[in-house]
């Protein structure tokens, strides 16, 4: 890799690091998405409401569930006597309608058995609208916000301004003979109902069109927490069943990196690590010389081979054959090294071998005697092997 290319790469890395440093110092833009989930600390999340709900319903059991209404209520229905094994209020807070038709039927049946349902959302399922005889509409307004009011005498003269988050949805038509208007929203002198109570069977529906009232932004602004407390006061005493999809992590990413990417410091540390790894891989991708393996010299295994063959004969108990092999190797050595004829092992052989090797003639005669003895016998013992081996060793 030439020097110019290295400079270009270093310059590119500096630019990337500079962009990261500048971007990390910029203020993070506010996320105004209406998520209405309990783990979100963004303006329209329910983090604050989730923390404060125990104080809003003291001495009341609060059960959170993350399934559909049908999946939650159906197992609690007892078919033997057509009753529910639980009683209380079902609470739903969302920006849009999250009720499917099956869940809407189950919710109607649950309220019909003497329970309560509190729904705060900007759109309702058609099945509920038909069964409870109400309709909704969107009122156009040139103002960015509107005043929220309640009909109860103790807060009749109070009004609450949400600022951002106020929806324009209100109840256009209701059955005035059975429905109670509990609150409304006002722009100038025009009022529209946005909080009603509708009886159904032996229970009640509490319907509200301003879910922003429970959001982090609204609860922490001015005295809007009083408005939230006031509308929740219409919920009767008893167990509260709160549908929160994020409660069972349905809205949370399943990625194992979700926590690291959710924290700015950890996120940038992760990105820098990835960039560093890419740079490292790039610089180490150049071709390198292959490692030359060390070749060991071929060992001389003649001695080991001889020992192995000798041990094999010894284990087989062939003493006669072992002596025969030793005699053959001994005579072959004399012929090849000293050029002496070994056909006749007589006095001439002894004399010539003595002259060639300088060994004692007595030792040579002893070896010749043992060879001739072996050739005249058919069976040999281990002692014979040892005796002739020692005699031959003395001549080496």
């Amino acid at each position: 890799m030439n020097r110019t290319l290295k400079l270009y790469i270093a310059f590119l890395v500096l630019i990337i690091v500079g962009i990261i440093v500048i971007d990390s110092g910029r203020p993070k833009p506010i996320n105004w998405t209406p998520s209405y989930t309990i783990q979100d600390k963004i303006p329209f999340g329910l983090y604050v409401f989730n923390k404060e709900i125990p104080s809003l319903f003291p001495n009341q059991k609060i059960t959170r569930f993350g399934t559909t209404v049908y999946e939650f209520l159906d197992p609690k229905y007892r078919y033997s006597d057509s009753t529910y094994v639980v009683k209380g209020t079902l609470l739903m807070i969302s920006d849009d309608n999250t009720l499917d038709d099956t869940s809407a039927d189950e919710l109607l049946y649950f309220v019909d058995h003497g329970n309560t349902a509190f729904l705060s959302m900007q759109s309702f399922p058609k099945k509920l609208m038909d069964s409870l005889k109400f309709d909704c509409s969107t009122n156009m307004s040139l103002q960015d916000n509107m005043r929220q009011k309640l009909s109860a005498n103790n807060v009749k003269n109070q009004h609450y301004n949400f600022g951002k988050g106020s929806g324009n949805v209100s109840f256009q038509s209701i059955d005035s003979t059975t429905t109670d208007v509990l609150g409304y929203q006002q722009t100038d002198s025009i009022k529209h109902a946005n909080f009603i109570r509708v009886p159904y069977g032996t229970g009640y529906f509490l319907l509200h069109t301003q879910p922003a009232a429970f959001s982090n932004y609204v609860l922490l602004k001015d005295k809007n927490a009083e408005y939230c407390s006031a509308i929740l006061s219409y919920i009767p005493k008893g167990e509260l069943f709160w549908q929160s999809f994020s409660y069972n992590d349905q809205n949370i990413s399943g990625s194992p990196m979700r926590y690291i990417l959710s924290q700015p410091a950890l996120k940038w540390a992760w990105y820098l690590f990835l960039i560093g790894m890419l740079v490292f891989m790039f610089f180490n991708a150049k071709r390198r010389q292959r490692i030359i393996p060390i070749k060991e010299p071929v060992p001389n295994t003649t001695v080991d081979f001889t020992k192995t063959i000798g041990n094999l004969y010894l284990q087989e108990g062939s003493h006669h054959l072992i002596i025969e092999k030793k005699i053959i190797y001994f005579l072959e050595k004399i012929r090849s090294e000293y050029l002496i004829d070994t056909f006749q092992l007589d006095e001439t052989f002894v004399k010539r071998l003595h002259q060639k090797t300088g060994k004692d003639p007595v030792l040579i005669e002893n070896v010749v005697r043992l060879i001739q003895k072996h050739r005249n016998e058919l069976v040999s013992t281990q002692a014979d092997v040892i005796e002739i081996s020692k005699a031959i060793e003395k001549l080496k």
Side-chain angles (χ1 to χ4, degrees):
M1 184 180 295
N2 57 41
R3 185 170 179 273
T4 303
L5 184 57
K6 290 182 179 179
L7 289 175
Y8 284 149
I9 294 175
F11 183 68
L12 179 61
V13 172
L14 287 176
I15 291 177
I16 294 174
V17 173
I19 292 173
I20 293 175
V21 172
I22 294 173
D23 188 70
S24 61
R26 294 171 55 188
K28 187 177 180 180
I30 299 175
N31 183 4
W32 293 97
T33 304
S35 66
Y36 296 108
T37 52
I38 62 176
Q39 84 276 3
D40 278 345
K41 298 180 181 180
I42 60 177
F44 293 112
L46 298 180
Y47 181 82
V48 175
F49 180 70
N50 180 58
K51 295 296 183 182
E52 295 298 326
I53 195 170
S55 61
L56 294 171
F57 297 96
N59 303 321
Q60 289 182 243
K61 182 180 179 181
I62 302 172
T63 301
R64 297 172 175 84
F65 66 95
T67 60
T68 64
V69 172
Y70 174 78
E71 291 173 324
F72 176 73
L73 291 178
D74 184 66
K76 297 171 175 54
Y77 182 73
R78 190 165 49 202
Y79 288 89
S80 58
D81 56 359
S82 299
T83 59
Y84 285 91
V85 296
V86 295
K87 291 188 69 67
T89 301
L90 192 139
L91 174 65
M92 295 178 64
I93 303 171
S94 64
D95 190 52
D96 295 312
N97 168 41
T98 57
L99 277 170
D100 56 84
D101 289 343
T102 305
S103 295
D105 286 331
E106 188 69 30
L107 185 59
L108 287 167
Y109 205 59
F110 179 69
V111 174
D112 186 41
H113 281 68
N115 298 291
T116 306
F118 186 103
L119 278 61
S120 182
M121 54 185 65
Q122 296 199 53
S123 63
F124 298 90
K126 191 173 187 305
K127 189 173 289 291
L128 280 187
M129 297 171 67
D130 293 340
S131 301
L132 302 180
K133 300 178 180 178
F134 73 90
D135 195 9
C136 295
S137 65
T138 301
N139 305 296
M140 301 303 296
S141 175
L142 297 178
Q143 296 188 9
D144 294 334
N145 53 66
M146 57 187 68
R147 295 188 298 274
Q148 312 293 328
K149 292 190 175 184
L150 294 172
S151 301
N153 291 330
N154 58 331
V155 290
K156 188 174 183 179
N157 296 322
Q158 296 290 334
H159 69 272
Y160 307 91
N161 194 337
F162 290 179
K164 293 185 178 181
S166 297
N168 292 322
V169 178
S170 61
F171 296 103
Q172 181 181 13
S173 62
I174 58 175
D175 186 356
S176 58
T177 60
T178 57
T179 302
D180 296 325
V181 177
L182 304 178
Y184 53 90
Q185 56 198 33
Q186 181 177 354
T187 303
D188 297 329
S189 59
I190 303 174
K191 295 193 300 185
H192 300 280
N194 66 358
F195 185 29
I196 60 176
R197 178 171 55 195
V198 186
Y200 187 81
T202 56
Y204 288 92
F205 276 92
L206 294 169
L207 306 177
H208 184 247
T209 64
Q210 293 289 349
F214 306 95
S215 66
N216 302 326
Y217 174 76
V218 172
L219 286 177
L220 299 176
K221 188 177 187 319
D222 301 331
K223 296 182 179 181
N224 292 331
E226 296 178 1
Y227 177 78
C228 175
S229 178
I231 58 178
L232 292 177
S233 65
Y234 286 96
I235 296 178
K237 296 290 184 181
E239 188 171 358
L240 184 68
F241 309 105
W242 182 13
Q243 185 193 47
S244 176
F245 285 112
S246 57
Y247 183 67
N248 66 346
D249 292 344
Q250 288 188 10
N251 290 334
I252 297 178
S253 171
S255 170
M257 298 295 297
R258 64 178 181 270
Y259 179 75
I260 292 178
L261 296 179
S262 67
Q263 306 298 317
L266 293 178
K267 180 176 69 174
W268 287 115
W270 171 248
Y271 288 158
L272 286 174
F273 167 75
L274 291 180
I275 294 172
M277 286 298 297
L278 290 174
V279 173
F280 174 80
M281 292 171 62
F282 181 80
F283 280 101
N284 284 270
K286 60 182 180 180
R287 184 174 179 179
R288 295 181 177 180
Q289 182 180 2
R290 290 191 306 170
I291 298 175
I292 301 175
I294 299 175
K295 291 186 177 181
E296 298 290 342
V298 180
N300 187 354
T301 59
T302 305
V303 177
D304 293 335
F305 175 74
T306 304
K307 290 181 179 178
T308 302
I309 297 299
N311 291 332
L312 179 62
Y313 281 116
L314 186 61
Q315 290 174 6
E316 292 293 329
S318 301
H319 302 104
H320 192 79
L321 186 59
I322 293 175
I323 294 175
E324 183 69 28
K325 296 296 183 182
K326 281 184 173 291
I327 292 172
I328 292 173
Y329 294 146
F330 171 68
L331 296 178
E332 173 63 26
K333 180 179 180 181
I334 291 175
R335 286 193 298 270
S336 61
E337 290 187 10
Y338 304 114
L339 303 175
I340 300 175
D341 184 17
T342 60
F343 183 74
Q344 291 290 337
L345 302 180
D346 51 14
E347 292 182 359
T348 303
F349 171 79
V350 173
K351 185 178 179 180
R352 294 185 65 184
L353 185 59
H354 166 67
Q355 293 173 346
K356 292 274 187 177
T357 61
K359 297 292 182 181
D360 190 347
V362 177
L363 298 178
I364 299 174
E365 290 175 354
N366 184 43
V367 171
V368 171
R369 181 185 61 82
L370 291 175
I371 293 173
Q372 291 174 345
K373 175 186 175 184
H374 169 74
R375 288 176 176 176
N376 293 328
E377 294 178 349
L378 298 176
V379 179
S380 300
T381 64
Q382 184 176 358
D384 296 333
V385 175
I386 296 173
E387 184 181 14
I388 196 170
S389 296
K390 289 182 177 179
I392 292 174
E393 286 292 330
K394 291 179 181 180
L395 295 181
K396 291 183 177 180

